[in-house]
Amino acid sequence: MGNKSCDLLAQGKKVLFAFEEAIGFMCGTNVLDKDGISAGVVVAEMAAYLNSKCISILEQLESIQNKYGYHVSINSYFICHDAIIIKQIFERLRNYGTSEQYPATCGPYSIKYVRDLTTGYDNSQPDGKAILPTSKSSQMITFTFQNGCIITMRTSGTEPKIKYYTEFCSKPDSGFNKEAVKRELQKIVQCLIECFFEPEKNGLIYRED
């Protein structure tokens, strides 16, 4: 995120915020990397401002959720020490039923877009080519569902893990409360595990809680 911020600054743009999935925040450009100290200072500043308005941080969060929808994520991984099996899992998704055909559904859930940053495929783009950087040395496929859920499966570069990141944001007028959004995402994740990972068939080891 720091390198990309430098590129944007060189173009004369102002970088306000950057983050990574694993809870790393870059607030402003005083520190061009994820930094817990500066992020903590910004949170304290926000809390002080909200307090002057007699609003708690939790109340502000609920206000944002009511306006933009509830956002929920479930992230985890499986352990697999066999590189051949890992490759087979991803190649199966690239040839799902027929050659060079990605899955159109995961259980009862319809898939709208597929982005494969190993092969460079992205059917959300007019030319079918991913605009994000690609790498043939690692596995990474993202599925965007018709209901708005987004799931990414990828291998770890340092550990024998296949990771998955899932997120679901309900629309404000959907009628879903936060618990309903959680339940819906949990059902999608269970379908992901059963249909795409097939842990029993592939001998995958579940993450220890």
Side-chain angles (χ1 to χ4, degrees), residues 116-129:
D116 189 338
L117 294 184
T118 303
T119 66
Y121 173 80
D122 186 346
N123 67 347
S124 71
Q125 299 300 317
D127 61 358
K129 296 180 180 179

Side-chain angles (χ1 to χ4, degrees), residues 138-175:
S138 59
Q139 304 285 351
M140 184 172 181
I141 302 178
T142 298
F143 301 96
T144 299
F145 289 74
Q146 290 285 354
N147 64 4
C149 176
I150 300 175
I151 291 177
T152 295
M153 297 171 57
R154 74 170 182 89
T155 49
S156 170
T158 57
E159 301 170 291
K161 294 177 179 179
I162 311 175
K163 299 183 177 183
Y164 62 86
Y165 306 89
T166 73
E167 55 183 299
F168 184 36
C169 185
S170 64
K171 295 180 179 179
D173 58 355
S174 66

Side-chain angles (χ1 to χ4, degrees), residues 53-77:
K53 304 291 184 180
C54 297
I55 302 171
S56 69
I57 291 179
L58 181 57
E59 288 170 337
Q60 179 67 7
L61 175 61
E62 291 173 345
S63 175
I64 293 171
Q65 291 172 331
N66 289 334
K67 184 174 182 178
Y68 297 104
Y70 290 94
H71 187 283
V72 178
S73 64
I74 299 175
N75 306 322
S76 192
Y77 60 82

Side-chain angles (χ1 to χ4, degrees), residues 11 30 33 38 57 82 88 98 109-110 184 204:
Q11 298 169 26
N30 288 328
D33 200 352
S38 57
I57 291 179
D82 192 329
Q88 287 175 347
T98 58
Y109 298 97
S110 298
E184 184 69 4
L204 305 181

Side-chain angles (χ1 to χ4, degrees), residues 3-203:
N3 290 337
K4 185 63 177 178
S5 296
C6 283
D7 293 341
L8 294 171
L9 290 170
Q11 298 169 26
K13 297 181 179 179
K14 185 176 180 64
V15 178
L16 299 176
F17 180 72
F19 75 99
E20 68 170 15
E21 178 279 330
I23 317 179
F25 302 106
M26 188 188 88
C27 302
T29 54
N30 288 328
V31 181
L32 287 173
D33 200 352
K34 56 185 179 182
D35 178 62
I37 295 175
S38 57
V41 170
V42 170
V43 171
E45 182 181 23
M46 178 178 65
Y49 171 79
L50 292 172
N51 184 65
S52 71
K53 304 291 184 180
C54 297
I55 302 171
S56 69
I57 291 179
L58 181 57
E59 288 170 337
Q60 179 67 7
L61 175 61
E62 291 173 345
S63 175
I64 293 171
Q65 291 172 331
N66 289 334
K67 184 174 182 178
Y68 297 104
Y70 290 94
H71 187 283
V72 178
S73 64
I74 299 175
N75 306 322
S76 192
Y77 60 82
F78 287 97
I79 295 174
C80 181
H81 295 279
D82 192 329
I84 294 176
I85 289 179
I86 292 175
K87 185 175 181 179
Q88 287 175 347
I89 289 172
F90 283 89
E91 285 302 317
R92 173 176 170 268
L93 295 174
R94 297 184 180 107
N95 301 275
Y96 205 76
T98 58
S99 179
E100 298 183 357
Q101 182 67 49
Y102 293 88
T105 61
C106 180
Y109 298 97
S110 298
I111 295 171
K112 187 176 183 180
Y113 299 124
V114 178
R115 182 182 66 210
D116 189 338
L117 294 184
T118 303
T119 66
Y121 173 80
D122 186 346
N123 67 347
S124 71
Q125 299 300 317
D127 61 358
K129 296 180 180 179
I131 59 175
L132 292 177
T134 61
S135 173
K136 294 185 182 298
S137 64
S138 59
Q139 304 285 351
M140 184 172 181
I141 302 178
T142 298
F143 301 96
T144 299
F145 289 74
Q146 290 285 354
N147 64 4
C149 176
I150 300 175
I151 291 177
T152 295
M153 297 171 57
R154 74 170 182 89
T155 49
S156 170
T158 57
E159 301 170 291
K161 294 177 179 179
I162 311 175
K163 299 183 177 183
Y164 62 86
Y165 306 89
T166 73
E167 55 183 299
F168 184 36
C169 185
S170 64
K171 295 180 179 179
D173 58 355
S174 66
F176 279 118
N177 59 28
K178 190 171 185 177
E179 291 306 313
V181 175
K182 283 184 179 179
R183 288 194 299 270
E184 184 69 4
L185 184 56
Q186 287 169 346
K187 290 192 290 184
I188 297 173
V189 169
Q190 190 58 41
C191 288
L192 169 76
I193 292 171
E194 294 174 358
C195 299
F196 290 178
F197 279 100
E198 299 182 304
E200 285 72 29
K201 173 185 173 182
N202 292 309

